[in-house]
Amino acid sequence: MSVAEPFVARDSRPAYFRSLAEAIRDPDELITSLDLPDTLREPARRAAVSFPLIVPRSFLARMRPADPDDPLLRQVLPIGAENDSVEGFIADAVGDLHARTAPGLIHKYHGRALLIAAGSCAVNCRYCFRRHYPYQDDPRRPDDWEPALAAIEADRSLTEIILSGGDPLMLTDSRLASLVAHLEGISHVRRLRIHTRLPIVLPDRVTAELLDLFASTRLATAVVVHANHPREVVGDCAVALKALAASPASLLNQAVLLRGVNDDADILAELSERLFMLGVLPYYLHQLDRVAGAAHFEVPEATGLAVVAELARRLPGYLVPRYVRETAGEPGKTSIH
Ligand SMILES: *Cc1c(COP(=O)(O)O)cnc(C)c1O
Ligand code: SF4
């Protein structure tokens, strides 16, 4: 796949609209389609009430049937442990709500601010640190961004804007282009960053229009995708990543260290190597944010350190992600060492 061979014809409704509409939203359907034990049904239904299940079929197709421990399944299947309350695991784990400087704008670190460009995702990751974030208070329509854009314009120290969410690629290409055009109009903004999991879970979101946007913007652009396991970056996802890598945007990956998913040097080494073959460099390996409902995913930092040390022994330096945690009130992500 190259930029010249887009997934969709330019004048048709993008194929990903349909993929999104057809995503699995019913825990029973997920369990049935993967031939999983019936004992998982009741807890899945219960845990999906407060944080719904969403899994695109492309992602489902990369899971192994009849394996309740499948590392891709574990990231999306609601389980009973989510309803346990565990000391230290809270709703706003990273202090985002205190750093909101305008509706939808989170400015914590020097020089860069994060714009909550969309309130939803194509997948609901059970460990998500924003699983309790009050998106309803953030902008929904383009006009609602005015205060955030005005705040960016008024602060000349902001040279980079990070589109985040939710997932910013849940915006249509025309909405995204219009938001980017507004940012381009602010002269001190030089860099655009897009934090997105859609190229991984909904690969047909990588449209010709999106690639055109990266080709035409004056902003130096980085796309930071989010894959946690090497089996995520195969098939249609690999094709989408290669298409992105052929665009002028720099392509990086952030992963979250997750118990029973990727808390293992073999797995993370394979992830880095596969990503590099597709044109993606590892950026961060995040220590889990201590959000309520995600305690069962936590890996002790001592284990994380041992895993990263092993990665550093095996891989060239550029394939070793930086192991970081986010601490409310700190001026940036904190390296763990
Ligand atoms: C993680 C994060 C950033 C980006 O940090 P980098 O170290 O530049 O990747 C910016 N703003 C907020 C609020 C963040 O959580
Ligand atoms: S894609 Fe990111 S923001 Fe969306 S549910 Fe997963 S971790 Fe959360």
Side-chain angles (χ1 to χ4, degrees):
M1 174 76 45
S2 74
V3 180
E5 294 169 66
F7 277 83
V8 292
R10 265 153 221 270
D11 54 358
S12 69
R13 205 170 133 92
Y16 80 86
F17 273 53
R18 181 139 180 217
S19 310
L20 208 48
E22 289 176 350
I24 295 186
R25 290 179 167 79
D26 174 6
D28 282 294
E29 189 183 350
L30 178 66
I31 289 165
T32 303
S33 53
L34 286 171
D35 253 329
L36 295 169
D38 284 333
T39 49
L40 295 174
R41 289 177 190 272
E42 184 48 35
R45 286 179 205 136
R46 252 186 300 122
V49 172
S50 56
F51 186 50
L53 173 140
I54 313 180
V55 189
R57 285 175 200 272
S58 158
F59 198 63
L60 175 78
R62 289 170 248 161
M63 297 176 191
R64 277 187 300 249
D67 179 4
D69 296 323
D70 180 88
L72 278 59
L73 176 71
R74 283 181 68 94
Q75 297 177 52
V76 300
L77 177 70
I79 61 167
E82 292 179 31
N83 292 324
D84 297 347
S85 82
V86 177
E87 208 189 317
F89 286 76
I90 57 173
D92 181 19
V94 297
D96 273 352
L97 299 183
H98 300 287
R100 189 149 48 171
T101 53
L105 191 68
I106 299 177
H107 184 186
K108 272 195 205 169
Y109 302 157
H110 178 78
R112 58 235 195 261
L114 198 143
L115 196 58
I116 305 287
S120 62
C121 288
V123 67
N124 275 346
C125 310
R126 307 314 297 178
Y127 54 85
C128 181
F129 72 107
R130 296 224 175 92
R131 55 182 289 163
H132 309 285
Y133 187 88
Y135 288 115
Q136 63 279 7
D137 301 346
D138 282 331
R140 309 219 140 190
R141 291 178 314 267
D143 286 352
D144 300 341
W145 284 320
E146 285 302 324
L149 291 167
I152 295 167
E153 184 146 29
D155 184 346
R156 298 194 55 83
S157 76
L158 286 176
T159 51
E160 174 167 344
I161 299 303
I162 303 169
L163 303 186
S164 181
D167 198 305
L169 293 189
M170 291 296 278
L171 296 178
T172 61
D173 287 312
S174 61
R175 287 245 173 129
L176 192 64
S178 119
L179 184 54
V180 170
H182 277 99
L183 295 171
E184 284 170 338
I186 301 173
S187 59
H188 52 269
V189 175
R190 292 187 207 146
R191 290 187 306 281
L192 171 70
R193 203 194 310 180
I194 297 185
H195 281 180
T196 176
R197 187 146 157 80
L198 263 62
I200 307 299
V201 299
L202 193 82
D204 52 7
R205 177 63 188 87
V206 179
T207 58
E209 288 75 7
L210 184 67
L211 298 170
D212 284 349
L213 177 66
F214 298 148
S216 62
T217 178
R218 76 160 175 87
L219 302 170
T221 302
V223 176
V224 185
V225 297
H226 169 186
N228 298 313
H229 191 281
R231 284 197 14 239
E232 292 173 41
V233 291
V234 298
D236 53 350
C237 170
V239 172
L241 291 176
K242 277 193 187 162
L244 279 171
S247 84
S250 298
L251 202 50
L252 302 167
N253 182 62
Q254 49 187 343
V256 181
L257 185 61
L258 298 167
R259 192 159 97 203
V261 174
N262 62 6
D263 50 342
D264 175 285
D266 289 336
I267 291 170
L268 287 175
E270 176 73 14
L271 176 63
S272 278
E273 291 189 89
R274 275 203 207 175
L275 284 169
F276 185 67
M277 308 255 280
L278 300 169
V280 190
L281 283 171
Y283 181 38
Y284 281 148
L285 175 66
H286 292 269
Q287 178 67 11
L288 183 80
D289 294 315
R290 304 191 97 193
V291 64
H296 56 287
F297 281 115
E298 190 171 56
V299 177
E301 284 188 4
T303 307
L305 278 171
V307 167
V308 173
E310 179 60 27
L311 283 183
R313 267 191 293 278
R314 287 197 206 173
L315 294 174
Y318 63 89
L319 292 187
V320 182
R322 243 181 88 201
Y323 182 33
V324 294
R325 84 168 87 77
E326 187 165 356
T327 309
E330 289 294 314
K333 307 283 189 263
T334 315
S335 284
I336 304 177
H337 41 228

